[in-house]
PDB file of all heavy atoms in Angstrom:
ATOM      1  N   ILE A  26      -7.174  -6.708  78.741  1.00  0.00           N
ATOM      2  CA  ILE A  26      -8.479  -6.455  79.431  1.00  0.00           C
ATOM      3  C   ILE A  26      -9.484  -5.828  78.401  1.00  0.00           C
ATOM      4  O   ILE A  26     -10.650  -6.271  78.334  1.00  0.00           O
ATOM      5  CB  ILE A  26      -8.256  -5.440  80.563  1.00  0.00           C
ATOM      6  CG1 ILE A  26      -7.367  -6.077  81.628  1.00  0.00           C
ATOM      7  CG2 ILE A  26      -9.577  -5.034  81.213  1.00  0.00           C
ATOM      8  CD1 ILE A  26      -6.901  -5.119  82.691  1.00  0.00           C
ATOM      9  N   PRO A  33     -17.738 -11.400  72.692  1.00  0.00           N
ATOM     10  CA  PRO A  33     -18.843 -12.069  73.382  1.00  0.00           C
ATOM     11  C   PRO A  33     -18.503 -13.419  74.004  1.00  0.00           C
ATOM     12  O   PRO A  33     -19.155 -13.931  74.833  1.00  0.00           O
ATOM     13  CB  PRO A  33     -19.825 -12.257  72.229  1.00  0.00           C
ATOM     14  CG  PRO A  33     -19.044 -12.155  70.968  1.00  0.00           C
ATOM     15  CD  PRO A  33     -17.839 -11.332  71.254  1.00  0.00           C
ATOM     16  N   GLU A  38      -9.157 -22.765  79.085  1.00  0.00           N
ATOM     17  CA  GLU A  38      -8.582 -24.079  79.391  1.00  0.00           C
ATOM     18  C   GLU A  38      -9.418 -24.707  80.543  1.00  0.00           C
ATOM     19  O   GLU A  38      -9.792 -25.851  80.539  1.00  0.00           O
ATOM     20  CB  GLU A  38      -7.112 -23.976  79.821  1.00  0.00           C
ATOM     21  CG  GLU A  38      -6.481 -25.307  80.108  1.00  0.00           C
ATOM     22  CD  GLU A  38      -5.023 -25.132  80.585  1.00  0.00           C
ATOM     23  OE1 GLU A  38      -4.558 -23.963  80.749  1.00  0.00           O
ATOM     24  OE2 GLU A  38      -4.372 -26.168  80.756  1.00  0.00           O
ATOM     25  N   ALA A  68     -12.315 -26.310  68.796  1.00  0.00           N
ATOM     26  CA  ALA A  68     -11.962 -25.523  67.620  1.00  0.00           C
ATOM     27  C   ALA A  68     -13.221 -25.439  66.717  1.00  0.00           C
ATOM     28  O   ALA A  68     -13.482 -24.323  66.189  1.00  0.00           O
ATOM     29  CB  ALA A  68     -10.823 -26.219  66.806  1.00  0.00           C
ATOM     30  N   ASP A  94       0.783 -25.409  76.774  1.00  0.00           N
ATOM     31  CA  ASP A  94      -0.604 -25.206  77.126  1.00  0.00           C
ATOM     32  C   ASP A  94      -1.469 -25.462  75.859  1.00  0.00           C
ATOM     33  O   ASP A  94      -0.934 -25.350  74.770  1.00  0.00           O
ATOM     34  CB  ASP A  94      -0.863 -23.716  77.537  1.00  0.00           C
ATOM     35  CG  ASP A  94      -0.940 -23.592  79.039  1.00  0.00           C
ATOM     36  OD1 ASP A  94      -1.120 -24.625  79.774  1.00  0.00           O
ATOM     37  OD2 ASP A  94      -0.896 -22.472  79.531  1.00  0.00           O
ATOM     38  N   GLY A  96      -4.007 -24.645  72.767  1.00  0.00           N
ATOM     39  CA  GLY A  96      -4.145 -23.401  72.011  1.00  0.00           C
ATOM     40  C   GLY A  96      -3.718 -23.616  70.566  1.00  0.00           C
ATOM     41  O   GLY A  96      -4.310 -23.080  69.637  1.00  0.00           O
ATOM     42  N   VAL A 100      -5.758 -22.650  67.153  1.00  0.00           N
ATOM     43  CA  VAL A 100      -5.201 -21.610  66.210  1.00  0.00           C
ATOM     44  C   VAL A 100      -5.061 -22.184  64.770  1.00  0.00           C
ATOM     45  O   VAL A 100      -5.439 -21.525  63.819  1.00  0.00           O
ATOM     46  CB  VAL A 100      -3.834 -21.114  66.725  1.00  0.00           C
ATOM     47  CG1 VAL A 100      -3.141 -20.287  65.647  1.00  0.00           C
ATOM     48  CG2 VAL A 100      -4.076 -20.235  68.036  1.00  0.00           C
ATOM     49  N   PHE A 108     -10.035 -17.445  59.162  1.00  0.00           N
ATOM     50  CA  PHE A 108     -10.298 -16.331  60.109  1.00  0.00           C
ATOM     51  C   PHE A 108      -8.936 -15.762  60.622  1.00  0.00           C
ATOM     52  O   PHE A 108      -7.966 -16.468  60.679  1.00  0.00           O
ATOM     53  CB  PHE A 108     -11.125 -16.724  61.256  1.00  0.00           C
ATOM     54  CG  PHE A 108     -12.555 -16.996  60.838  1.00  0.00           C
ATOM     55  CD1 PHE A 108     -12.973 -18.300  60.586  1.00  0.00           C
ATOM     56  CD2 PHE A 108     -13.485 -15.956  60.695  1.00  0.00           C
ATOM     57  CE1 PHE A 108     -14.294 -18.524  60.178  1.00  0.00           C
ATOM     58  CE2 PHE A 108     -14.780 -16.167  60.340  1.00  0.00           C
ATOM     59  CZ  PHE A 108     -15.167 -17.469  60.003  1.00  0.00           C
ATOM     60  N   CYS A 117       4.596 -14.860  80.286  1.00  0.00           N
ATOM     61  CA  CYS A 117       5.079 -16.193  79.871  1.00  0.00           C
ATOM     62  C   CYS A 117       6.175 -16.550  80.910  1.00  0.00           C
ATOM     63  O   CYS A 117       7.149 -15.820  81.040  1.00  0.00           O
ATOM     64  CB  CYS A 117       5.604 -16.197  78.484  1.00  0.00           C
ATOM     65  SG  CYS A 117       6.355 -17.786  78.049  1.00  0.00           S
ATOM     66  N   SER A 124      14.627 -13.635  81.657  1.00  0.00           N
ATOM     67  CA  SER A 124      15.033 -12.203  81.770  1.00  0.00           C
ATOM     68  C   SER A 124      15.752 -11.860  83.055  1.00  0.00           C
ATOM     69  O   SER A 124      16.540 -10.960  83.135  1.00  0.00           O
ATOM     70  CB  SER A 124      13.820 -11.301  81.621  1.00  0.00           C
ATOM     71  OG  SER A 124      13.029 -11.385  82.757  1.00  0.00           O
ATOM     72  N   THR A 159      21.325 -21.948  76.278  1.00  0.00           N
ATOM     73  CA  THR A 159      20.657 -22.073  77.549  1.00  0.00           C
ATOM     74  C   THR A 159      19.385 -22.987  77.260  1.00  0.00           C
ATOM     75  O   THR A 159      18.660 -22.724  76.304  1.00  0.00           O
ATOM     76  CB  THR A 159      20.198 -20.717  78.080  1.00  0.00           C
ATOM     77  OG1 THR A 159      21.353 -19.982  78.517  1.00  0.00           O
ATOM     78  CG2 THR A 159      19.238 -20.848  79.211  1.00  0.00           C
ATOM     79  N   LEU A 160      19.184 -23.947  78.158  1.00  0.00           N
ATOM     80  CA  LEU A 160      18.025 -24.824  78.010  1.00  0.00           C
ATOM     81  C   LEU A 160      16.919 -24.396  78.986  1.00  0.00           C
ATOM     82  O   LEU A 160      17.272 -24.200  80.216  1.00  0.00           O
ATOM     83  CB  LEU A 160      18.404 -26.318  78.248  1.00  0.00           C
ATOM     84  CG  LEU A 160      19.480 -26.856  77.335  1.00  0.00           C
ATOM     85  CD1 LEU A 160      19.898 -28.251  77.797  1.00  0.00           C
ATOM     86  CD2 LEU A 160      19.104 -26.851  75.892  1.00  0.00           C
ATOM     87  N   GLU A 164       8.761 -27.273  85.205  1.00  0.00           N
ATOM     88  CA  GLU A 164       8.582 -28.446  86.060  1.00  0.00           C
ATOM     89  C   GLU A 164       7.634 -28.126  87.229  1.00  0.00           C
ATOM     90  O   GLU A 164       7.550 -26.981  87.679  1.00  0.00           O
ATOM     91  CB  GLU A 164       9.934 -28.937  86.636  1.00  0.00           C
ATOM     92  CG  GLU A 164       9.903 -30.309  87.200  1.00  0.00           C
ATOM     93  CD  GLU A 164       9.206 -31.307  86.244  1.00  0.00           C
ATOM     94  OE1 GLU A 164       7.938 -31.411  86.290  1.00  0.00           O
ATOM     95  OE2 GLU A 164       9.897 -32.114  85.522  1.00  0.00           O
ATOM     96  N   GLY A 181      25.895 -33.005  83.163  1.00  0.00           N
ATOM     97  CA  GLY A 181      27.137 -32.809  83.903  1.00  0.00           C
ATOM     98  C   GLY A 181      26.963 -31.779  85.010  1.00  0.00           C
ATOM     99  O   GLY A 181      26.154 -30.850  84.950  1.00  0.00           O
ATOM    100  N   ILE A 199      14.659 -16.810  92.804  1.00  0.00           N
ATOM    101  CA  ILE A 199      15.397 -17.079  91.639  1.00  0.00           C
ATOM    102  C   ILE A 199      16.859 -17.364  92.118  1.00  0.00           C
ATOM    103  O   ILE A 199      17.531 -16.492  92.660  1.00  0.00           O
ATOM    104  CB  ILE A 199      15.384 -15.874  90.662  1.00  0.00           C
ATOM    105  CG1 ILE A 199      13.960 -15.607  90.276  1.00  0.00           C
ATOM    106  CG2 ILE A 199      16.271 -16.157  89.403  1.00  0.00           C
ATOM    107  CD1 ILE A 199      13.776 -14.303  89.527  1.00  0.00           C
ATOM    108  N   ASP A 206      25.462 -29.201  92.747  1.00  0.00           N
ATOM    109  CA  ASP A 206      25.004 -28.818  94.044  1.00  0.00           C
ATOM    110  C   ASP A 206      23.527 -28.559  94.181  1.00  0.00           C
ATOM    111  O   ASP A 206      22.990 -28.249  95.269  1.00  0.00           O
ATOM    112  CB  ASP A 206      25.743 -27.564  94.522  1.00  0.00           C
ATOM    113  CG  ASP A 206      27.240 -27.786  94.599  1.00  0.00           C
ATOM    114  OD1 ASP A 206      27.628 -28.908  94.999  1.00  0.00           O
ATOM    115  OD2 ASP A 206      27.997 -26.845  94.354  1.00  0.00           O
ATOM    116  N   ASN A 216      10.935 -26.101 101.633  1.00  0.00           N
ATOM    117  CA  ASN A 216      10.155 -24.988 101.081  1.00  0.00           C
ATOM    118  C   ASN A 216      10.673 -24.618  99.655  1.00  0.00           C
ATOM    119  O   ASN A 216       9.930 -24.086  98.823  1.00  0.00           O
ATOM    120  CB  ASN A 216      10.275 -23.712 101.941  1.00  0.00           C
ATOM    121  CG  ASN A 216       9.357 -23.829 103.146  1.00  0.00           C
ATOM    122  OD1 ASN A 216       8.297 -24.444 103.034  1.00  0.00           O
ATOM    123  ND2 ASN A 216       9.798 -23.330 104.254  1.00  0.00           N
ATOM    124  N   VAL A 226      19.165 -23.976  82.344  1.00  0.00           N
ATOM    125  CA  VAL A 226      20.543 -24.543  82.425  1.00  0.00           C
ATOM    126  C   VAL A 226      21.434 -23.898  81.395  1.00  0.00           C
ATOM    127  O   VAL A 226      21.131 -23.793  80.231  1.00  0.00           O
ATOM    128  CB  VAL A 226      20.507 -26.095  82.148  1.00  0.00           C
ATOM    129  CG1 VAL A 226      21.918 -26.670  82.327  1.00  0.00           C
ATOM    130  CG2 VAL A 226      19.526 -26.753  83.039  1.00  0.00           C
ATOM    131  N   ASP A 247      47.597 -12.404  74.350  1.00  0.00           N
ATOM    132  CA  ASP A 247      48.898 -11.980  74.842  1.00  0.00           C
ATOM    133  C   ASP A 247      49.595 -10.974  73.898  1.00  0.00           C
ATOM    134  O   ASP A 247      50.349 -10.061  74.315  1.00  0.00           O
ATOM    135  CB  ASP A 247      49.835 -13.186  74.989  1.00  0.00           C
ATOM    136  CG  ASP A 247      49.508 -14.007  76.172  1.00  0.00           C
ATOM    137  OD1 ASP A 247      48.746 -13.534  76.997  1.00  0.00           O
ATOM    138  OD2 ASP A 247      49.975 -15.184  76.280  1.00  0.00           O
ATOM    139  N   ILE A 262      40.726 -19.866  62.917  1.00  0.00           N
ATOM    140  CA  ILE A 262      41.872 -20.660  62.825  1.00  0.00           C
ATOM    141  C   ILE A 262      41.637 -22.138  63.192  1.00  0.00           C
ATOM    142  O   ILE A 262      42.085 -23.064  62.571  1.00  0.00           O
ATOM    143  CB  ILE A 262      43.058 -20.046  63.617  1.00  0.00           C
ATOM    144  CG1 ILE A 262      43.444 -18.670  63.077  1.00  0.00           C
ATOM    145  CG2 ILE A 262      44.300 -20.963  63.633  1.00  0.00           C
ATOM    146  CD1 ILE A 262      44.337 -17.855  63.983  1.00  0.00           C
TER     147      ILE A 262
END
Side-chain angles (χ1 to χ4, degrees):
I26 297 171
E38 181 183 6
D94 257 347
V100 166
F108 288 97
C117 174
S124 72
T159 288
L160 303 174
E164 196 47 280
I199 300 170
D206 296 327
N216 283 326
V226 182
D247 285 347
I262 295 166

